Amino acid sequence: MITRDIAAFTAFAGSLAADFGPATARAAFLVSPDGFMRAEQSAQDNRYMADARAFDTGAALREHHALHRALAQDVPVICFPGDETTPDAVFPNNVFATARVDGEARLIVGRMRHEVRQREAGRRDIRGFFRDTLGYAEVDLSGQPHPCELTGALVIDRARGIGFCGLSERCDEAGAARMHEAFGLRATLMFDLAPGEYHTNVLLAVLAGRAVLVHAGGLQTPGLVPALKAVYPGGVVNLNGLEQAAFAGNAIALASGKVWMSRRAHDALRPATVEALAASGFAVHSVALTAIEAGGGSLRCCVAEVF
């Protein structure tokens, strides 16, 4: 099912066992921030992006290397080179994602809103690696007209096979339906983001199917937080505005007991937030990403998961 009906979604999702698939990825890939700079098209609807003077490619490359080393503690991590013509490519999870649907491994290629990001979808090396080397089937959404910026717009609970899709200029209802089908999900809830928000994954994170980080202020859907509490009883961690502004919602779990976020996000966490995560079995780990965050995204945006 794919719906805007929160009550219907909650009733269905709450009945599901966490038996759809692995809760965390078996590997991940990154794209190096070569030529990292402000992309003016992306800045049109990304209020988190800094002024051009804040961009430092050398610092971003050093941070990215440290991120690669850190995440490799949990899963195998590979890194593709960046390209000066695609300055946002350091955030590949909007463009590329993977899934396993009825035993078929899939590479899903998203349809980006801005032309500067649409170029990323044409990368033959990433497509070829998954198609020809790993044998993944390719589901190419990049040529259809509806924006669907993959796991930027769609936050997925892989254990239950459900998704939470925030609608904005970066993803419309038709795009959400295409992603729902491509990922083979059991259920997807669509909802509106608050004005000025562009991606769900800076507001909401599902961690290994057990806990949820959420900032209600970025959602134009008051019933969503109660729905999350019904599906994840005792596992919903509310972020305040300062935590969310520091990118604490842009977090990821690549192992069952660790949540990764940027150092800035980690430093912004209230003791109550750290305690709530610990109660769900998560220790917080972080990497400094100050230079990369000038691009309007943070740690989760840098990580494309491999299932």
Side-chain angles (χ1 to χ4, degrees), residues 46-50 196-204 213-219 238-251 261-270 273 289-290 292-299 301:
N46 183 344
R47 66 182 180 85
Y48 299 96
M49 192 175 288
E197 298 294 350
Y198 78 109
H199 270 168
T200 316
N201 75 356
V202 296
L203 306 167
L204 175 69
L213 290 168
V214 61
H215 175 58
L219 308 170
N238 289 290
L239 300 175
N240 69 15
L242 292 176
E243 290 171 314
Q244 189 275 329
F247 288 111
N250 199 239
M261 62 182 63
S262 74
R263 186 71 43 75
R264 173 186 171 193
H266 193 173
D267 289 345
L269 295 183
R270 294 166 294 162
T273 303
L289 296 177
T290 303
I292 287 174
E293 287 177 338
S298 190
L299 192 147
C301 298

Side-chain angles (χ1 to χ4, degrees), residues 96-151:
F96 298 102
T98 64
R100 290 184 179 267
V101 181
D102 297 328
E104 177 185 71
R106 294 180 176 180
L107 173 70
I108 303 164
V109 185
R111 200 291 196 173
M112 306 303 291
R113 181 189 183 203
H114 297 296
E115 189 273 336
V116 68
R117 300 223 61 189
Q118 291 169 11
R119 299 173 202 160
E120 297 173 45
R123 287 193 59 152
R124 291 181 293 177
D125 56 345
I126 295 176
R127 288 178 181 245
F129 176 76
F130 282 93
R131 183 186 61 241
D132 303 329
T133 304
L134 298 185
Y136 279 52
E138 189 173 277
V139 180
D140 189 355
L141 305 178
S142 65
Q144 53 82 38
H146 298 279
C148 50
E149 299 199 355
L150 299 188
T151 55

Side-chain angles (χ1 to χ4, degrees), residues 44-109:
Q44 294 173 17
D45 59 350
N46 183 344
R47 66 182 180 85
Y48 299 96
M49 192 175 288
D51 183 88
R53 292 169 295 182
F55 284 72
D56 183 336
T57 302
L61 284 164
R62 292 189 293 273
E63 290 177 352
H64 200 262
H65 181 65
L67 174 65
H68 191 166
R69 289 171 58 89
L71 298 183
Q73 298 172 31
D74 291 349
V75 294
V77 180
I78 62 172
C79 185
F80 291 94
D83 184 338
E84 289 77 3
T85 66
T86 56
D88 288 327
V90 70
F91 304 128
N93 84 306
N94 307 154
V95 188
F96 298 102
T98 64
R100 290 184 179 267
V101 181
D102 297 328
E104 177 185 71
R106 294 180 176 180
L107 173 70
I108 303 164
V109 185

Side-chain angles (χ1 to χ4, degrees), residues 4-19:
R4 279 181 171 269
D5 187 328
I6 292 178
F9 174 86
T10 304
F12 180 70
S15 72
L16 298 174
D19 60 357

Side-chain angles (χ1 to χ4, degrees), residues 6 10 189 214 216 219 221-233 236 238:
I6 292 178
T10 304
L189 178 65
V214 61
L219 308 170
T221 312
L224 181 57
V225 173
L228 292 171
K229 290 180 178 179
V231 178
Y232 304 95
V236 176
N238 289 290

Side-chain angles (χ1 to χ4, degrees), residues 250-263:
N250 199 239
I252 192 170
L254 293 173
S256 62
K258 295 166 69 174
V259 55
W260 286 98
M261 62 182 63
S262 74
R263 186 71 43 75

